[in-house]
Amino acid sequence: QWMRQLSACFSCRLIVMVICSNHVLKGFVSEGLVMRTMEFIFGEFRVSAARLQMLKAAAISPWALKPVVALMADIMPISGYKKMPYIVLTTLPSFFAALGLGLRLVNSLEGIVLCLFLIFLQVSTINLLVDATLCEEVKQNASCGPQLFTFSWLGIQAGQVVG
């Protein structure tokens, strides 16, 4: 019932975008897998608790860069597009960073922090740009706005639990 009402208000493309970006990428991958495994990744280097906190802060710092990314996307469109080029520009390095971590090609502490930084840069950029798209869609269909944001946040929380 609830999903039927949501799909009547918003396009299937938007709902799939929310599932892929928020539920899977932000909830399951970022918050569920990467955040929970960071301590184990850094634990192999036997760093102190204080240093661990500094490394984690450096890795997740792209979340603090969201206003800069938003400003760049608004004032510097690439080939007339404001969102997609930034998604592609952050996804490519993130893919290779995740590949490097997954295949254990990165062996230095600094390299691991850089890889995690690139992964979180992609997740935070996509999260920012998808949330901007959701806000634009809600402006056009305000009566269903709360259901869309509830759907988005429930999926993120479910992804965290599963991850």
Side-chain angles (χ1 to χ4, degrees), residues 2 39 46 78 129 139 147:
W2 179 58
E39 291 182 29
R46 302 200 193 314
I78 300 172
L129 299 176
K139 281 183 189 177
Q147 287 101 340

Side-chain angles (χ1 to χ4, degrees), residues 96-117:
F96 289 110
L99 193 64
L101 286 177
L103 297 176
R104 299 180 67 92
L105 300 173
V106 181
N107 298 320
S108 71
L109 201 52
E110 295 80 12
I112 290 171
V113 171
L114 176 63
C115 287
L116 290 169
F117 178 89

Side-chain angles (χ1 to χ4, degrees), residues 47-156:
V47 296
S48 68
R51 179 108 194 259
L52 174 67
Q53 290 304 313
M54 289 182 358
L55 294 171
K56 285 173 68 175
I60 66 170
S61 63
W63 289 102
L65 296 175
K66 284 173 74 172
V68 175
V69 174
L71 188 62
M72 285 176 52
D74 283 343
I75 64 173
M76 294 180 0
I78 300 172
S79 298
Y81 294 100
K82 291 185 174 186
K83 294 179 181 126
M84 188 56 71
Y86 291 96
I87 290 173
V88 172
L89 286 173
T90 59
T91 298
L92 291 175
S94 174
F95 171 77
F96 289 110
L99 193 64
L101 286 177
L103 297 176
R104 299 180 67 92
L105 300 173
V106 181
N107 298 320
S108 71
L109 201 52
E110 295 80 12
I112 290 171
V113 171
L114 176 63
C115 287
L116 290 169
F117 178 89
L118 292 171
I119 291 168
F120 283 114
L121 181 63
Q122 182 225 15
V123 174
S124 66
T125 299
I126 290 176
N127 177 252
L128 168 78
L129 299 176
V130 166
D131 283 352
T133 301
L134 293 181
C135 289
E136 291 169 3
E137 291 287 328
V138 167
K139 281 183 189 177
Q140 296 173 5
N141 198 344
S143 65
C144 293
Q147 287 101 340
L148 182 63
F149 284 107
T150 300
F151 173 69
S152 176
W153 280 99
L154 279 175
I156 291 169

